[in-house]
Every structure is written in C-alpha cells, then in structure tokens.
Amino acid sequence: MPASRTPVVFVHGLWLHSTSWQPWVELFREAGYDPIAPEWPDIPDTVAEARAVPERFGGHGVADVTAHFAGIIRKLPTPPVVVGHSFGGLIVQQLLGQGLARAAVAIDPAPAKGVLALPVSALRVASVALRNPANRRRAVALTPAQFRYGFGNALSEAESAELYEKWTIPTPGRPLFEAATANLGPSTATKINTNRAGRGPLLITAGGRDHTVPPAISKGTARLYRKSPAVTDVVTFPDRGHSLTIDHGWREVAQTSLDWLARQSR
C-alpha cells in the first residue's frame, strides 16, 4: 500500500454483507484512498455462503467485532479513515475513541451507551431479535417485509426487494441485546470514548425517514460529544431511510462523506 494513499476501512452493520460496500470502495479508490471492506469475524466472503452457515457467527457482540477491526487496523501502515453504517457506525466511533483512526464517518449509527432516545420504529426493528432471548447467541435473518420496514421504507417495493435479495444475510442478535440494555447497568459493550483528547474529526449522519436509526438517535449520539473540543459534525438526509448506503442514492451519501473528509484534510 503506497504510503501517500490514506487507508479507509469500511464497517457494515447488521443484516448486510461487507460486499455491499463495493461501490463505495471503488469511489473512494478513485478519490485517491486505499479502501478495504473487511467482514465481521467468522462471516464468509459471499452473501450466499453467509446465508448458508449462520450458526458460525451468531454469538458475536459489539466488543469482539470492534476488537476484530482494531486488529485489522493495527496491521495497516498508517491510521485509516473509518466509515461505518448502523452498528458499523457505532464501531467506528469506538475505534476513533481508541485513537486507532484519523477520522470517522458514522452513517445513521446504532445507539451508543448514553443515547436515551427510544423511537417506536427502532424498537420494532430490534424486536426481530429481542422477542426471543435465545437470539442473543444466534444469527437472525430478516424477512422481505421486515427489511422493507427497517431498510427500504423510503424506496419502491421493487428496489427494496432487489436490495434484500442482493445484500442481506443473517446477523448476530447479540448487538441488539447489548444496545437495548446499555443504559440499564454497567455494561460497556456499546460505550464510546467521547472525551479523548486530540481525537480525529467525526461526521454523524441522520436519515430523515430511517426507521431503524431514526434521526433522534443520531442527534442523541452527537450530544454525547457536546463537551468535546474536537470536530463533530451532523448531516441530515431528509428523505432517506436506513438503506442509504446501498440504494440508488448511495452516491450522494458517499460524496458528502468524501467532501467532508477533504474539508478536514483527511
């Protein structure tokens, strides 16, 4: 990897495969970065393989996924930019707070410990796993109708169905349990370090029509950084749902991220 090219690490969230980042990888490479989109631990390299063996990766939680990506980052020649969506957005904030990244883009990030907003739509999506305590140790899949509500509600029915078939995989249920109970006890699985001195800049996005991570959660996340002197910016995409990284409008979100990084000289 040429030293002059800044690495970028993409981190997906629940129910999507890492290959869903491929258009972003290509765009960031064209912009002069060296991007990679690693998979979560134990998830196979393709959507088809992941669908076939969900029992291999059902038990992973936020802490070990973050540790997995931290290990990848430590092998890079220079600290990367990290870009994450949903639970990936939470994970990249943890990596930024650990001093492992030079900047982070958290796209409609899952709630960190301390975010108190509990919109009904977010609870409805999370209930796919939370309704059965055994799902803490399992991988849980979405039905097309559940994907339509949680991801594709701002899309046509046809596009939602197409994205479901192309990118969705079963996902560990444990992160949803960790997020649901984060503010009820001492658990630190979803905690982020918002006070690290000299941390890199952070961009948080909010999709105005996002059912899975409604704007109240993104705004609550930003409030956790209110005492930090480091750059923390928020951008809202008013008409976008949780599919904003993979649907027909992905390029707007990606270009907004690139433009923001350029302004931060990252």
Side-chain angles (χ1 to χ4, degrees), residues 72-83:
I72 292 170
I73 287 172
R74 289 190 178 100
K75 295 177 182 178
L76 297 175
T78 186
V81 170
V82 288
V83 180

Side-chain angles (χ1 to χ4, degrees), residues 103-105 201-203 231 233 256-264:
V105 179
L202 169 65
L203 174 64
V231 171
D233 292 331
T256 297
S257 302
L258 282 170
D259 293 345
W260 178 83
L261 287 167
R263 291 194 296 272
Q264 308 306 318

Side-chain angles (χ1 to χ4, degrees), residues 59-176:
H60 289 292
V62 174
D64 55 312
V65 177
T66 299
H68 171 75
F69 280 92
I72 292 170
I73 287 172
R74 289 190 178 100
K75 295 177 182 178
L76 297 175
T78 186
V81 170
V82 288
V83 180
H85 171 242
S86 197
F87 267 94
L90 169 62
I91 289 165
V92 300
Q93 290 176 79
Q94 292 185 330
L95 296 168
L96 184 69
Q98 292 172 18
L100 294 174
R102 67 180 66 202
V105 179
I107 302 167
D108 294 25
K113 185 179 180 68
V115 175
L116 302 179
L118 289 172
V120 172
S121 67
L123 292 173
R124 177 174 167 180
V125 175
S127 71
V128 171
L130 299 179
R131 63 170 64 111
N132 183 350
N135 287 335
R136 180 184 287 270
R137 298 179 299 278
R138 296 174 177 165
V140 181
L142 293 178
T143 66
Q146 289 166 339
F147 180 83
R148 171 85 163 134
Y149 182 82
F151 283 75
N153 60 292
L155 308 176
S156 69
E157 186 174 351
E159 184 177 6
S160 181
E162 179 184 358
L163 295 175
Y164 176 85
E165 290 298 327
K166 190 173 185 180
W167 299 125
T168 62
I169 62 172
T171 197
R174 186 174 167 189
L176 291 165

